[in-house]
Amino acid sequence: RLLLEPALTEPQCRAGIVLIDLHSIDTRIKASGLKLQLCTNETQATRESFVRKLRALGFDIAVAQVTAPAPAACHLLRERGLRPHLLVHDDLVPEFAEIDKTNPNCVVLGDAAENFTYANLNEAFRLLIGMEKPVLISLGKGRYYKETDGLKLDVGAYMKALEYACDIQAEVVGKPSKRFFESALAELGVPPEQAIMIGDDIVNDVGGAQQCGMRALQVRTGKFRPSDENHPEVKPDAYVNNLAEAVDIILQEL
Amino acid sequence: RLLLEPALTEPQCRAGIVLIDLHSIDTRIKASGLKLQLCTNETQATRESFVRKLRALGFDIAVAQVTAPAPAACHLLRERGLRPHLLVHDDLVPEFAEIDKTNPNCVVLGDAAENFTYANLNEAFRLLIGMEKPVLISLGKGRYYKETDGLKLDVGAYMKALEYACDIQAEVVGKPSKRFFESALAELGVPPEQAIMIGDDIVNDVGGAQQCGMRALQVRTGKFRPSDENHPEVKPDAYVNNLAEAVDIILQEL
């Protein structure tokens, strides 16, 4: 049995405040023998820098323990011989270092933040509309997220803009895609019924994991909203108040 | 009987080349006693500057002869007591000069071009998501258009981005909205069965006008594509090769 763990530590990182003692959680998970994989839709940084942030917070994980959209996209690009034009955050570019980007035959869209300029969006659009069969790969389909200086449009909004302009459907890499959860399971080497997802996002974390055959706990922090408890389609296997409580419950069950 | 006329002269204006002798067309229409109304989705300039451009090309029309999305939006804003936050082209702002824009309770979106910055899009999004019932008014829903330096994403793409992020539906002002064609007819004071639309856009011009009860000719210039002749839903009343030919046919029928 193992524990899949999403970007639940992220709100703490972003706000710069550690709300939960990640180090003690990490220690307890390690002592229990549970395997841990972080399953994140983060596309504003490489896994390396993500891992550095978590280590600074006392959460000792390796790069291979992070399942993230960019490496998943690289896998897909190689598999299909695609050469991407990247419209992503500058800090994510290193993830694509070994991918051939000459003469692009697809567009990879991430949360490009300040790189979402009028010129860059037009450029991505022109490349797509010029392709015989436009291929748009989107690293997630989030609507928006919160930063210290306010709400920001997420990659999903820009994906919709390009989809509409080109009359196409993007291929979404990242949660809640089944393929994405499967690659996290493959990394751990366990079948879905032996895995538990802990997440704050009712659709992307809980719904996605359950569709893949895993059980999933929803944490009442971060993106959680009280209305999630009446979600018309997704019902978590259990609710917990925070990550520490989730770990408590799982360790008790062992 | 009258003649409704779209932005068919626009390609000529934009490219700076007069492909058709607009002045002679104008003279013939005037001599015939036909009433003329221009029905445009142009939102990068005021009607005044639009009229100036056409006059320079020999097409002598008055501002009241132009039905355009911005004044239609102003009408709607007044009717419903809405105070807009504008995300539009700088050159369009004067159309909203007399509208109260303090403490906005809706967002008006036009083809803002260079004003489609990451910061401006986030600002419009934050205002919308902060409203109890977000109201997004979009001046058209075009996918893209061509300029001398290449294809550009049109207002429709950005409308879709905001719709998705806020989980709302925009209210579209402009062609092909029935209300928009009706206001053009009202300006002319004739019922739809006495009007003919001439346009190059199969959906926005031809389809929109027909849904309003008018007849519509499609011109094989501008946005026209050969595939339009097999359009699954819209069938023009006739095809013509250009604006001059359309006018010939209509004058012969008188």
Side-chain angles (χ1 to χ4, degrees), chain A residues 111 113-114 116-118 121-122 125-126 129 141-145 149-153 156-158 160-162 164-165 167, chain B residues 111 113-114 116-118 121-122 125-126 129 141-145 149-153 156-158 160-162 164-165 167:
Chain A
D111 177 18
E114 301 291 342
F116 280 134
T117 63
Y118 181 58
L121 286 163
N122 281 331
F125 162 67
R126 272 177 223 140
I129 203 81
K141 55 173 184 174
R143 291 169 190 270
Y144 60 91
Y145 56 89
D149 58 342
L151 296 174
K152 304 278 172 82
L153 289 170
Y158 293 95
K160 287 290 171 185
L162 291 172
Y164 177 72
D167 199 14
Chain B
D111 176 17
E114 301 291 341
F116 281 133
T117 63
Y118 181 59
L121 286 164
N122 282 332
F125 161 67
R126 270 177 223 142
I129 204 81
K141 57 173 185 176
R143 293 169 189 271
Y144 60 92
Y145 57 88
D149 58 341
L151 296 174
K152 306 276 171 82
L153 289 169
Y158 293 95
K160 287 289 170 185
L162 291 172
Y164 178 73
D167 198 13

Side-chain angles (χ1 to χ4, degrees), chain A residues 16-247:
Chain A
I17 304 161
V18 181
L19 299 174
I20 294 172
D21 183 351
L22 289 175
H23 181 64
S24 103
I25 290 175
D26 182 39
T27 309
R28 290 166 64 205
I29 292 172
K30 284 214 173 69
S32 73
L34 281 176
K35 287 189 201 169
L36 180 73
Q37 188 74 9
L38 277 94
C39 201
T40 178
N41 270 4
E42 175 68 55
T43 65
Q44 283 207 0
T46 58
R47 281 167 301 170
E48 280 74 10
S49 74
F50 186 63
V51 162
R52 269 198 302 278
K53 264 201 304 193
L54 286 176
R55 283 191 177 159
L57 293 165
F59 210 68
D60 180 35
I61 51 150
V63 170
Q65 281 179 283
V66 180
T67 300
C74 289
H75 185 76
L76 186 153
L77 293 168
R78 280 198 199 91
E79 215 174 59
R80 286 165 48 189
L82 291 169
R83 300 177 306 277
H85 167 80
L86 302 177
L87 179 46
V88 301
H89 197 283
D90 286 344
D91 294 344
L92 193 70
V93 174
E95 290 276 18
F96 297 88
E98 282 162 36
I99 299 284
D100 179 8
K101 292 177 282 290
T102 57
N103 190 18
N105 56 7
C106 75
V107 167
V108 169
L109 189 72
D111 177 18
E114 301 291 342
N115 283 344
F116 280 134
T117 63
Y118 181 58
N120 285 348
L121 286 163
N122 281 331
E123 186 187 9
F125 162 67
R126 272 177 223 140
L127 281 163
L128 285 170
I129 203 81
M131 293 172 193
E132 202 180 331
K133 205 179 167 307
V135 175
L136 174 61
I137 296 167
S138 188
L139 306 178
K141 55 173 184 174
R143 291 169 190 270
Y144 60 91
Y145 56 89
K146 199 173 184 169
E147 284 197 333
T148 42
D149 58 342
L151 296 174
K152 304 278 172 82
L153 289 170
D154 200 356
V155 60
Y158 293 95
M159 175 189 87
K160 287 290 171 185
L162 291 172
E163 282 188 341
Y164 177 72
C166 304
D167 199 14
I168 56 168
Q169 284 272 314
E171 300 175 40
V172 180
V173 173
K175 294 180 283 186
S177 125
K178 197 171 174 179
R179 191 188 159 113
F180 190 67
F181 282 105
E182 282 168 354
S183 76
L185 289 170
E187 192 64 48
L188 290 156
V190 299
E193 56 276 15
Q194 285 180 30
I196 298 176
M197 174 78 193
I198 310 175
D200 59 347
D201 187 315
I202 182 78
V203 171
N204 289 314
D205 296 335
V206 177
Q210 287 179 334
Q211 286 220 327
C212 203
M214 283 180 257
R215 280 174 294 166
L217 305 182
Q218 188 175 15
V219 176
R220 291 195 184 95
T221 60
K223 283 186 183 170
F224 169 82
R225 290 179 184 197
S227 65
D228 289 350
E229 306 209 10
N230 302 311
H231 196 279
E233 282 148 37
V234 185
K235 192 115 218 104
D237 293 275
Y239 295 97
V240 288
N241 287 319
N242 54 52
L243 181 57
E245 198 177 300
V247 173

Side-chain angles (χ1 to χ4, degrees), chain B residues 20 60 65 67 71 95 97 100 172 186 211 213 232 243 247:
Chain B
I20 293 172
D60 180 35
Q65 280 179 279
T67 301
E95 290 276 18
D100 179 8
V172 180
Q211 287 221 325
L243 181 57
V247 174

